[in-house]
């Protein structure tokens, strides 16, 4: 991943192990203007289970977050495969990013414009835009 920017029309994913919000950059790399495009909430976490083998000391919450990470990686792959985005900006808390990264399909990785390990889920859109602009210098 050589480039670190937020291209025009990039899909921007802001999330944690408990959910993700998606935006589109309607501006350009120098003038980020995010438009809300919806959320991905955890679904059927107890039935689906996390990817791989869970360590015995893993709490229920950690297991649920690992399962959501798997769901998020699959969601991003489905959207990439359907051609719904050319560029992806992935902003997740450090733990979730560590869970999601090895689960991402090559088709998603090839579209990665920026990756940021930061918790921005409870921030305003303006704060998110400022953080992305600062990170894409």
């Amino acid at each position: 991943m050589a480039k670190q920017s937020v291209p025009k029309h990039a899909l921007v994913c802001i999330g944690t192990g408990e959910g993700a919000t998606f935006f589109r950059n309607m501006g350009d790399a120098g003038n980020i203007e995010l438009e809300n495009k919806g959320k991905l909430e955890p679904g059927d976490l107890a039935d689906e289970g996390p990817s791989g083998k869970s360590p015995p000391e893993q709490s229920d919450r950690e297991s649920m977050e690992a399962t959501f990470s798997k769901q998020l990686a699959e969601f991003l792959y489905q959207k990439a495969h359907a051609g719904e985005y050319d560029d992806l900006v992935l902003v997740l808390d450090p733990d979730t990013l560590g869970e999601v990264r090895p689960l991402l399909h090559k088709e998603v990785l090839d579209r990665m414009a920026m990756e940021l390990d930061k918790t921005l889920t409870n921030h305003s859109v303006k704060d998110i835009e400022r953080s992305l602009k600062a990170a894409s210098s």
Side-chain angles (χ1 to χ4, degrees):
M1 179 178 54
K3 55 185 176 173
Q4 280 281 84
S5 66
V6 185
K8 186 174 183 104
H9 301 296
L11 180 65
V12 179
C13 173
I14 308 290
T16 66
E18 298 174 359
T21 304
F22 293 90
F23 298 90
R24 277 283 177 194
N25 181 22
M26 303 313 288
D28 55 33
N31 184 30
I32 299 167
E33 295 178 26
L34 299 180
E35 182 178 291
N36 193 317
K37 292 298 181 183
K39 293 182 180 270
L40 178 64
E41 301 287 342
D44 299 323
L45 294 178
D47 294 334
E48 194 169 320
S51 180
K53 194 172 187 179
S54 298
E57 68 277 1
Q58 188 175 50
S59 71
D60 287 343
R61 181 172 184 215
E62 290 169 328
S63 180
M64 297 293 192
E65 288 177 355
T67 302
F68 178 70
S69 295
K70 182 175 81 170
Q71 291 175 346
L72 178 59
E74 179 60 27
F75 178 84
L76 292 171
Y77 170 68
Q78 289 171 358
K79 296 292 183 188
H81 192 67
E84 294 186 26
Y85 65 90
D86 292 324
D87 297 291
L88 175 65
V89 174
L90 194 57
V91 183
L92 303 172
D93 68 272
D95 290 340
T96 304
L97 186 58
E99 289 273 350
V100 169
R101 189 182 290 125
L103 303 174
L104 294 175
H105 190 276
K106 182 179 180 343
E107 205 166 334
V108 174
L109 293 172
D110 289 347
R111 290 168 167 75
M112 192 76 73
M114 179 190 284
E115 182 180 284
L116 188 59
D117 61 346
K118 196 167 187 174
T119 305
L120 294 176
T121 51
N122 294 324
H123 289 70
S124 71
V125 173
K126 289 292 176 200
D127 284 345
I128 295 169
E129 290 169 348
R130 276 193 289 275
S131 291
L132 291 174
K133 188 170 184 176
S136 64
S137 57

